[in-house]
Amino acid sequence: MSLGDEYENTGGYGGSGQTRTRMPDSGGQHGGGRRGGGRTSSRSLVTVVGVVVLLIAAIAFANRGGDDSASGGGDDSPKAEATAPSGEKPVRSANAGIPSGFARDRQGAESAAANYSVALGSADLFNTDRRREIITAVYTPEVAAARQADLDRAYSSEEFLANIGLDKDGKAPAGQTFISRVIPVGTKVTKSTENDATVEVWYTSLFGLSGERSTNPVTESWYTTTYQLKWVENDWKITDFQQKDGPVPVGRDQQASTAEDMTKAVEEFGGFTYAR
């Protein structure tokens, strides 16, 4: 039913579908003199009803239009606002605690890139055993094997660890908490085929040491990482990535939380599984 059809059926406006309502006379010889006011009230009532019907019809039309655009065939390119769940469950299992089993489509590639960003930006990467599990889970087998030794050297460098306030084993000093967390804000597919995808992930990150004597307090940064993904072993895996700064929003004039509040928040607020 079109908007016009619904309008005519409700008698909101003129035309053959309009319904006239005649207000009852107030009686006696004064009836004829008062009918004019009755018709005026009738027209006012019909106008009000018409406006209400128009509003309801417009809302229904807009909602119906939104559904049609979301499910329309032909172009499956995601729009910037298309972040609502589609009903397709892209994550069915986990590999080393990282979501896996993503759908073999654009949506699955976006979900994989977002979840891999979280894993690669976590504090777990500073633990040797967890780092190796993460690298094996998110990279293609050949890339994981080639990068494992390089990453071990980078994350085991005492100079590097000392610069961020950690000891040679990647642990925070007593009384302090090491925080490294990535929070994806959005994703964008720039290339997609059956076996390959390029996905950009825009995210903010928290990094530093939370504690009364910390010389590296937790700070916020913004980055965009572009992931090259390949369909391997029934899942999306990373073959390469590039990172750049921003986009960076203007910071609000808010007072920084205490070290105690920051530590408590990180310990009590868990992360998310990202799925579109």
Side-chain angles (χ1 to χ4, degrees):
M1 177 185 293
S2 69
L3 183 60
D5 293 338
E6 190 166 348
Y7 234 118
E8 290 184 2
N9 290 339
T10 57
Y13 282 120
S16 58
Q18 182 177 5
T19 300
R20 288 185 178 273
T21 302
R22 182 167 181 169
M23 301 297 289
D25 295 341
S26 58
Q29 68 269 27
H30 302 292
R34 299 177 63 89
R35 273 199 295 268
R39 284 195 295 271
T40 301
S41 299
S42 174
R43 285 194 292 270
S44 299
L45 177 62
V46 171
T47 301
V48 171
V49 172
V51 171
V52 173
V53 170
L54 174 61
L55 178 60
I56 295 174
I59 293 174
F61 184 82
N63 289 337
R64 186 173 68 242
D67 291 341
D68 291 343
S69 62
S71 60
D75 182 12
D76 62 350
S77 300
K79 304 299 185 292
E81 70 276 14
T83 56
S86 67
E88 182 73 21
K89 187 177 180 181
V91 180
R92 299 183 296 275
S93 60
N95 183 4
I98 303 169
S100 62
F102 299 98
R104 193 175 186 176
D105 54 20
R106 298 171 66 103
Q107 175 177 293
E110 287 181 276
S111 186
N115 281 286
Y116 293 166
S117 293
V118 173
L120 291 172
S122 69
D124 285 345
L125 221 64
F126 291 79
N127 176 279
T128 301
D129 293 335
R130 280 295 292 146
R131 178 172 60 253
R132 291 174 179 173
E133 290 177 348
I134 292 171
I135 298 305
T136 300
V138 305
Y139 283 97
T140 59
E142 61 274 14
V143 173
R147 296 232 172 143
Q148 193 69 70
D150 293 337
L151 291 171
D152 282 343
R153 282 194 296 272
Y155 283 91
S156 300
S157 167
E158 292 189 23
E159 180 180 4
F160 166 66
L161 294 173
N163 285 338
I164 60 177
L166 304 180
D167 65 18
K168 61 183 180 62
D169 297 319
K171 296 181 180 179
Q176 299 184 29
T177 301
F178 175 55
I179 298 172
S180 181
R181 183 178 291 193
V182 161
I183 307 98
V185 176
T187 58
K188 179 177 67 174
V189 176
T190 57
K191 175 186 175 184
S192 177
T193 67
E194 185 179 13
N195 298 311
D196 299 277
T198 301
V199 182
E200 296 182 15
V201 181
W202 178 34
Y203 61 91
T204 182
S205 69
L206 303 177
F207 189 88
L209 286 169
S210 178
E212 293 298 335
R213 296 180 300 277
S214 172
T215 57
N216 295 293
V218 179
T219 58
E220 177 189 28
S221 302
W222 291 82
Y223 302 98
T224 296
T225 296
T226 301
Y227 290 95
Q228 308 295 330
L229 302 176
K230 185 176 182 180
W231 186 258
V232 178
E233 299 176 349
N234 294 318
D235 215 347
W236 291 109
K237 301 290 183 179
I238 301 172
T239 59
D240 199 6
F241 71 89
Q242 300 82 37
Q243 178 183 286
K244 65 180 181 180
D245 289 349
V248 181
V250 176
R252 292 180 60 88
D253 185 16
Q254 292 180 289
Q255 181 178 353
S257 298
T258 64
E260 181 182 358
D261 287 342
M262 182 62 69
T263 300
K264 185 178 180 181
V266 172
E267 291 175 347
E268 293 182 353
F269 290 86
F272 291 100
T273 294
Y274 292 86
R276 292 170 65 92

